[in-house]
Amino acid sequence: MTQAEKEQDNGKEKEKEREKEKEKEQQRGVKRPITPAAIPEPFQEQIQSNFIIVIHPGSRTLRIGRATDTLPLTVPHVIARRHKQSGQARYEDAWLLREGLNKPESNEQRQNGLKMVDQAIWSKKMSNGVRRTPVSAEQARAYNCQIRPAVLDSSSRVKWTNTTHHPPYLVGEETLYVNPSDCYNIHWPIVRGQLNVHAGPGGSLTAVLADLETIWSSVIQKHLEIPLKDLKYYRCILLVPDIYNRQHVKEMVNVLLLNMGFSAIIVHQESVCATFGSGLSSACVVDVGDQKTSLCCVEDGVSHRNSRLCLAYGGSDVTRAFFWLLQRAGFPYRDCHLSSRLDCQLLQNLKETFCHLDQDISGLQDHEFQTRFPEAPALLYQVRLGDEKLQAPMGLFYPTTFGIVGQKMTSLQHRSQGDSEDPHDEHYLLATQSKQDQSSKSSADRKAISRPGGGLDSEMSSQGGMGDGSGGGGGMQGEMDAGPAQGECLMGAGELEEPLSAHLSRKTAIMSQFESKALGLDKAILHSIDCCASDETKRKMYSSILVVGGGLMFHGAQEFLLHRIINKMPPSFRRLVDNVEVITRPKDMDPRLISWKGGAVLACLDTTQEMWIHQREWQRFGVRMLRERAAFVW
């Protein structure tokens, strides 16, 4: 063997020894810093916030923008679609009108509500210690009936939207100024926080989802200047109500991921995002919107399911009540109609300008306003108003003033109806939980019988079997009940023998009885806080009541709400809570934008990385991904 061959063999042996040494080191867990890993670790994708779009769809307004934007775009959440046939009748979704207003009892209910409001106004003293003297509508009426408008311009500068090129649809602000004589149907795709599915034209689920897709796509293209083909590079954060319809949320995620083509999505609740946006760790979030008011207690980024409550009234109901009060006081603009969308817009503006919740402002006062409509002269009106400006917003605390009869006014978080794509849903968990409970009970019974004096033990085990309905019996079981005010011990002692269907029907009866009531805003807040599990949590909530949304943006609202909460809270908590606080403008921000802002904050958090649902995952697993990734119990 030559010297060269010997050296080659030695080199091979040394190489083998090095390989064996490496294997031993790997087995011992020793890391070699110089040699790179054979299998690279999964690449952690760096997400850029300017490629995340935050969408907060509301009943009246869409708020949308990049997560890096200081403020979102605010667009009327409405679409006008051109008729398919020329002679087709026009259809328009109502703005301020709603079901339950024209019942025989409606007017009587309004009058009763107004009496309660007047009583409350009189009973609360002003800051100088004097009681307010109510001003009757007749005093203002005599003056207002004589008023005639002054002409400012012979023709208003406001124009109808130009539809001469026959666009198939119009979105946002343009829709509000579509001439009623043009052949366009007007649709508001969301009503009272839910998809506006109804029996009329454009009211099917498919049509409503198509409207949402068209509005969102149009705004993204036109205002954010992002071509739709580029959405595959973007992610989306969708804000949904606290009390959500699972089917609707699932369909909206389908629209965003599959139809519009976003690469990934996070779905989160409005209330939790409101706490992120305001910088609070815990709060009782009161979201007064245009058509609904939702309440929820949030603690460390988690919304307490039992505390969720949705009231079927909001800012637009206050606007309609204000119009009714204006008419009683001889409103000088006599051609005003709730069926006209431009008149509705005018009334919204008048409410925002004139209404308040400041008890110190009293007596008759003179105001003026202008009307500017297409194809009509611009007019200036004088109007004298008294208590109407305070009575209308107080309807939020005395909802009978709205005169709504025979409608469901309070909603709680109900069980899912089930989804074929999601076999391991709440029903599955509940059924398996009850089987486990029954088997544990039977084994406990057998043990008790085998011991002397076992009767007492078996009785105890039967009482402890399902828990008290406010937290026991597994996570899903504990979340089932609506809270103490709706019958706390719904699954009480010794009820194991009762079939599950009988228990659920009994619980449904209690819930429906509760849901028919129209709770005032202050009572709803107290109820929501009372549904929290511990006194410590309740104390946190009383010291941080966060009011968001645009429905309570009245002068004096913060002090007014604080006074009512302190007066009505349970006496035991008055001693425990050091400081009841109502926050209406956290960080001096517009309360209408706080939830959207929270969505933008969420996009930047490291902890949200594991919450993203990617397009491929959604295609493969569907709604099960929401159960896996959503930051709330789906």
Side-chain angles (χ1 to χ4, degrees), residues 308-362:
R308 293 179 205 159
L309 203 62
C310 183
L311 309 170
Y313 59 78
S316 61
D317 296 281
V318 175
T319 305
R320 197 180 55 254
F322 187 47
F323 177 53
W324 172 61
L325 292 165
L326 286 173
Q327 285 181 310
R328 286 172 77 244
F331 190 43
Y333 171 40
R334 290 171 189 88
D335 292 331
C336 190
H337 297 290
L338 293 178
S339 55
S340 159
R341 86 185 88 92
L342 295 183
D343 285 347
C344 289
Q345 209 171 2
L346 171 71
L347 290 169
Q348 292 268 48
N349 293 336
L350 293 183
K351 175 197 72 176
E352 289 166 15
T353 309
F354 298 150
C355 287
H356 62 84
L357 279 167
D358 188 344
Q359 296 274 101
D360 287 356
I361 300 173
S362 64

Side-chain angles (χ1 to χ4, degrees), residues 286-289 291-295 309-315 396 521:
V286 184
D287 184 352
V288 188
Q291 296 182 6
K292 67 152 175 71
T293 299
S294 56
L295 301 98
L309 203 62
C310 183
L311 309 170
Y313 59 78
L396 293 169
L521 189 56

Side-chain angles (χ1 to χ4, degrees), residues 115 167 171 173 177 185 234 238 257 272 298 317 339 341 411 424 461 533 540 566 573:
K115 282 176 191 170
V171 163
E173 197 74 36
Y177 290 95
N185 289 342
Y234 285 79
L238 176 68
L257 287 182
V272 177
V298 178
D317 296 281
S339 55
R341 86 185 88 92
S411 300
H424 298 97
S461 71
K540 275 188 201 174
I566 290 172
F573 277 100

Side-chain angles (χ1 to χ4, degrees), residues 391-408:
Q391 288 165 333
M394 278 185 72
L396 293 169
F397 301 90
Y398 298 93
T400 47
T401 314
F402 300 141
I404 303 159
V405 176
Q407 297 294 301
K408 181 177 169 182

Side-chain angles (χ1 to χ4, degrees), residues 322 354-356 361 363 365 367 385-393:
F322 187 47
F354 298 150
C355 287
H356 62 84
I361 300 173
Q365 291 181 318
H367 303 275
L385 297 173
D387 286 346
E388 293 81 12
K389 299 173 293 180
L390 176 59
Q391 288 165 333

Side-chain angles (χ1 to χ4, degrees), residues 58-75:
S59 305
R60 204 50 61 200
T61 308
L62 169 68
R63 294 185 176 87
I64 186 170
R66 290 179 175 85
T68 48
D69 293 344
T70 312
L71 299 172
L73 280 164
T74 300
V75 181

Side-chain angles (χ1 to χ4, degrees), residues 295-308:
L295 301 98
C296 183
C297 293
V298 178
E299 193 173 18
D300 300 323
V302 178
S303 88
H304 289 292
R305 177 165 167 161
N306 287 352
S307 70
R308 293 179 205 159

Side-chain angles (χ1 to χ4, degrees), residues 155-160 177 342 372-376:
S155 65
S156 168
R157 294 185 185 88
V158 179
K159 303 289 182 198
W160 293 119
Y177 290 95
L342 295 183
R372 291 182 179 273
F373 300 129
E375 299 173 1

